[in-house]
Amino acid sequence: MKIVKHYVKIPVILAAAFLLGTGAAMAVDHLNHQSQSVETAAAGSNWGLSFQEEGKRPVGNASIEELAEYNAYFARDTEEKIIYLTFDAGYENGNMPAILDALKKHNASATFFVVGNFVSDNPDLIQRMVSEGHTVGNHTMTHPDMSKISTKEAFTKELNGVEALYEQITGTPMAKFYRPPQGIYSTDNLAMAKEMGYHTFFWSLAYVDWYQDQQPTKEEAFGKLLPRIHPGAIVLLHSTSSTNAQILDELLTKWEEMGYRFGTLQDFTGEA
């Protein structure tokens, strides 16, 4: 990856992070307040963002152009008011049906990045996602720190396992869309994903929605998600969040009132 001599001021790791056990998972995400640069990506970096102007795309710790070399993305370079909705799904705790109901009401297609146990434990929800026009993406089989996986064999195993589960349920191949667990990546990881035919998706808008015992209020959620929305945003929300399930209908309405519409990640890849 080309070295860029700039540093992100306040990177924030915002992704699903789960320690997977037998039928259970525990969120372990955290905020990282240390400055990082794209120079660290070869060894392993946490995806980070710095929001500098309301309603504008934030600065990532890699640029759109740098990520494009690996078929990777965090936002679309556009002035069109279009939003790409994505959800990380590490396990199911009863909030997914309400999320799917809200998306259906707004005729909004989303991509759900799923961990292996979510697929095996929730075949009916996977079928519903597909039947209602959503895309199911790959969040790895066991949700490890992928930057520590150095061999192609181990990397491939993490993605192929989810593919196999998905195809058993749906009878169709899985979309080649990948999101690194915890947003931790390396350039080697990105290159291996590309070699497997995958497109890697980070995000340009998220908020702290994953702590089950510290769910944000509606006002706190809107305070982050409304002023920071921007043209071409890839939005990351967690499907385990009761707040997200409660506010999604109203949130989508508010974004529509701001002039936004909802696109699909296929816009980035040129796929139908």
Side-chain angles (χ1 to χ4, degrees):
M1 181 177 287
K2 178 183 177 183
I3 293 177
V4 174
K5 299 295 185 180
H6 73 264
Y7 291 80
V8 176
K9 297 178 181 177
I10 313 174
V12 181
I13 306 170
L14 291 166
F18 303 101
L19 295 176
L20 298 177
T22 304
M26 180 174 67
V28 294
D29 275 334
H30 62 281
L31 298 182
N32 179 0
H33 295 288
Q34 297 178 345
S35 294
Q36 297 182 35
S37 80
V38 74
E39 298 175 47
T40 66
S45 291
N46 297 314
W47 181 245
L49 299 169
S50 175
F51 287 87
Q52 302 181 345
E53 186 177 351
E54 184 172 314
K56 299 294 184 180
R57 185 174 68 243
V59 175
N61 59 337
S63 69
I64 287 176
E65 293 76 18
E66 289 170 328
L67 291 175
E69 179 182 347
Y70 300 92
N71 289 344
Y73 321 89
F74 82 100
R76 189 175 178 189
D77 187 8
T78 181
E79 294 302 315
E80 182 183 1
K81 285 193 168 184
I82 186 167
I83 300 170
Y84 301 94
L85 299 171
T86 71
F87 294 83
D88 283 2
Y91 62 100
E92 170 57 17
N93 61 354
N95 291 305
M96 185 68 80
I99 288 170
L100 290 170
D101 288 345
L103 293 170
K104 185 175 183 179
K105 179 178 178 180
H106 290 264
N107 194 29
S109 296
T111 297
F112 292 89
F113 288 96
V114 296
V115 178
N117 73 299
F118 183 95
V119 184
S120 59
D121 292 347
N122 302 281
D124 291 345
L125 286 175
I126 295 294
Q127 290 280 22
R128 180 178 173 187
M129 291 172 188
V130 173
S131 68
E132 294 183 359
H134 303 297
T135 300
V136 179
N138 202 322
H139 204 36
T140 73
M141 194 67 184
T142 64
H143 207 278
D145 176 350
M146 294 293 278
S147 70
K148 294 180 179 179
I149 294 180
S150 58
T151 68
K152 182 179 178 181
E153 179 182 8
F155 187 91
T156 301
K157 183 178 179 181
E158 281 290 337
L159 273 61
N160 282 352
V162 183
E163 290 180 15
L165 289 172
Y166 176 86
E167 190 160 353
Q168 287 172 14
I169 292 169
T170 66
T172 59
M174 191 175 199
K176 296 284 188 176
F177 292 172
Y178 163 61
R179 174 166 285 158
Q182 299 175 262
I184 301 175
Y185 69 101
S186 68
T187 51
D188 284 346
N189 288 167
L190 297 180
M192 284 188 279
K194 180 180 178 181
E195 187 175 346
M196 290 179 67
Y198 271 88
H199 297 265
T200 300
F201 290 93
F202 296 100
W203 60 90
S204 61
L205 176 59
Y207 78 119
V208 182
D209 62 350
W210 58 83
Y211 293 117
Q212 292 302 296
D213 58 349
Q214 299 180 43
Q215 280 292 286
T217 65
K218 168 183 169 180
E219 291 72 24
E220 289 169 340
F222 283 171
K224 297 292 186 181
L225 297 172
L226 294 179
R228 289 182 172 181
I229 197 63
H230 54 273
I234 297 179
V235 178
L236 163 61
L237 300 172
H238 288 87
S239 65
T240 53
S241 168
S242 58
T243 297
N244 289 341
Q246 293 163 10
I247 71 168
L248 189 59
D249 180 19
E250 185 177 355
L251 176 63
L252 299 183
T253 297
K254 288 182 178 295
W255 278 338
E256 287 170 329
E257 291 172 349
M258 294 169 69
Y260 284 92
R261 68 178 182 88
F262 307 110
T264 69
L265 296 188
Q266 282 79 359
D267 289 347
F268 292 81
T269 67
E271 300 174 12

